[in-house]
Amino acid sequence: MLELIPAIDIIDGKCVRLSQGMYESKKIYNENPVEVAKEFEANGLRRLHIVDLDGAASHHIVNYRTLEQIATKTSLIIDFGGGIKSDEDLVIAFDNGAQMVTLGSIAVKQPELFIHWLQKYGYEQIILGADVKGNKIAINGWKEESQQELMPFLRQYIEKGIHKVLCTDIQCDGMLAGPSIDLYKNIMKEFPELHLIASGGVSCIEDIQKLDKAGIPAVVFGKALYEGRISLKKLSTFL
């Protein structure tokens, strides 16, 4: 069964969404992310993906207080990403309630440090973030494109023990035009044991059904919920 992971993206302590990662496209959906998280939990969801967009742009964690509030006021299993660039950032994330962290930029720029964290904290707590634009990995809040191609990037870390990957197709993210199912199928064909978390483009319950049918293990989605295209009650069949 497909694992459902709603997303809360945070700027200035508020729940927002972007389109294709562009900060100028910011739309505020709720002034209180804690209330959003509580609603998710009340409707049977157990996982949550939090992105500190201020942190991603600032190269260090910013919205850790919001993480702490959500973690203490719900029992959701939280993975947290955005701005984790140092040992101190990683400790702040875990100390404030994250059970897992999603790391992308650091895996591109400082692979030795990423592997060190992987070995120190364990493979269950570290998720590899693979944000893709035109088959190239993007970093630093998607503002910078690296020269690393997706499949070799994944392979090098899977060989090191990574088994959780959050893959976002940037061109689909926030566009409500459907997820890149072919991309995710190709990844699963290449790495069938991978716990792949698909992200970007989910627009309706049918998109979630297609990902489930394609054998994708998990999906992150947000804007379709906030825009009312998917109701929390309709997700009950997947829970």
Side-chain angles (χ1 to χ4, degrees):
M1 182 66 75
L2 182 70
E3 183 180 29
L4 302 180
I5 309 174
I8 293 179
D9 294 356
I10 302 170
I11 291 179
D12 296 329
K14 300 170 184 176
C15 179
V16 308
R17 294 299 287 176
L18 309 181
S19 297
Q20 297 182 326
M22 295 182 291
Y23 281 66
E24 60 270 23
S25 71
K26 176 185 74 175
K27 182 175 180 180
I28 298 171
Y29 285 97
N30 197 302
E31 301 272 343
N32 189 344
V34 177
E35 294 305 315
V36 176
K38 283 182 175 179
E39 187 177 6
F40 291 157
E41 184 177 39
N43 281 274
L45 291 158
R46 291 291 171 259
R47 282 275 279 108
L48 180 63
H49 176 62
I50 297 179
V51 182
D52 181 356
L53 289 172
D54 291 314
S58 304
H59 308 297
H60 59 84
I61 285 182
V62 175
N63 288 292
Y64 59 90
R65 291 298 182 201
T66 304
L67 165 64
E68 188 268 339
Q69 289 167 7
I70 292 172
T72 55
K73 294 179 181 178
T74 75
S75 60
L76 293 167
I77 299 168
I78 300 169
D79 77 87
F80 180 88
I84 299 174
K85 297 292 192 295
S86 66
D87 288 287
E88 182 183 7
D89 289 323
L90 200 54
V91 169
I92 288 170
F94 285 131
D95 282 355
N96 283 278
Q99 284 100 325
M100 293 169 275
V101 293
T102 300
L103 305 170
S105 300
I106 205 79
V108 174
K109 292 199 161 186
Q110 295 178 267
E112 297 86 0
L113 180 58
F114 179 85
I115 291 168
H116 169 70
W117 287 347
L118 190 60
Q119 293 170 342
K120 180 177 180 179
Y121 291 96
Y123 305 112
E124 290 300 321
Q125 289 185 278
I126 304 293
I127 301 171
L128 176 64
D131 301 327
V132 186
K133 188 174 184 180
N135 198 43
K136 295 287 181 69
I137 300 294
I139 57 176
N140 294 331
W142 301 351
K143 298 191 299 297
E144 184 181 339
E145 188 177 298
S146 77
Q147 294 305 306
Q148 296 215 36
E149 294 187 354
L150 174 63
M151 291 301 190
F153 177 74
L154 294 179
R155 185 174 290 106
Q156 67 173 320
Y157 284 116
I158 288 169
E159 289 174 352
K160 297 290 185 182
I162 272 288
H163 66 90
K164 293 180 182 178
V165 172
L166 173 62
C167 183
T168 303
D169 186 330
I170 294 169
Q171 291 172 309
C172 293
D173 190 71
M175 301 308 291
L176 298 173
S180 297
I181 292 177
D182 288 341
L183 170 66
Y184 304 130
K185 281 183 175 179
N186 288 337
I187 294 172
M188 291 305 299
K189 183 179 179 181
E190 189 78 16
F191 310 109
E193 302 303 316
L194 188 66
H195 185 78
L196 178 65
I197 307 166
S199 173
V202 170
S203 65
C204 57
I205 199 77
E206 287 76 18
D207 287 336
I208 291 176
Q209 290 168 343
K210 287 175 184 176
L211 288 165
D212 190 30
K213 186 177 180 181
I216 310 305
V219 59
V220 163
F221 57 105
K223 195 168 187 176
L225 281 172
Y226 301 122
E227 294 280 345
R229 293 180 176 226
I230 296 176
S231 71
L232 288 169
K233 288 183 179 179
K234 282 188 176 180
L235 295 174
S236 60
T237 55
F238 290 93
L239 301 174

